[in-house]
Amino acid sequence: MTRADLIEEVSHTLGISLKESDTIVVTILDGIVRALRSGDKVEIRRFGSFGTRQRRSRIGRNPKTGARVEVPVKTVLYFRSSKELMELVNSVSAPTRDISALP
């Protein structure tokens, strides 16, 4: 699913224009990015959580020359899905089950 597909789905589900649904989707995604940039964890109940981790600096090797290269500290993003989302994804009997129907 692309961002455009998501915007179209929101527009169709809520019965609003594509421009309004684009604003909603962009606002949500921007909020997630801002929170992650500030080092916060983002948790969406019954969906999953996003967070960042610091990767240590290390000595790597250039695969072409074999020369030692310093790899600097790096922030990496991770996503951990919720148990409910995993059950929905792995469910054979209801592949398109609505997540909002969960308790």
Side-chain angles (χ1 to χ4, degrees):
M1 175 179 266
T2 64
R3 181 175 139 186
D5 294 336
L6 183 58
I7 291 168
E8 190 173 318
E9 184 71 24
V10 169
S11 174
H12 176 69
T13 301
L14 298 179
I16 59 176
S17 70
L18 286 174
K19 186 173 182 175
E20 290 172 321
S21 64
D22 178 55
T23 302
I24 291 169
V25 170
V26 168
T27 302
I28 291 169
L29 296 177
D30 285 346
I32 291 171
V33 170
R34 275 194 312 276
L36 292 171
R37 278 187 179 159
S38 68
D40 295 334
K41 183 178 176 182
V42 177
E43 183 177 331
I44 302 171
R45 301 273 182 202
R46 300 186 312 217
F47 184 74
S49 60
F50 297 89
T52 58
R53 293 188 180 120
Q54 285 291 115
R55 210 179 260 175
R56 297 182 300 195
S57 65
R58 61 186 175 84
I59 302 295
R61 294 207 178 266
N62 179 330
K64 189 172 184 178
T65 65
R68 293 170 53 107
V69 178
E70 168 106 18
V71 179
V73 172
K74 184 177 182 180
T75 301
V76 293
L77 176 69
Y78 72 87
F79 173 74
R80 177 157 187 212
S81 62
S82 71
K83 183 178 176 183
E84 291 91 350
L85 178 61
M86 286 305 297
E87 288 172 357
L88 286 173
V89 169
N90 291 321
S91 169
V92 177
S93 60
T96 58
R97 198 167 135 201
D98 184 12
I99 194 166
S100 63
L102 291 173

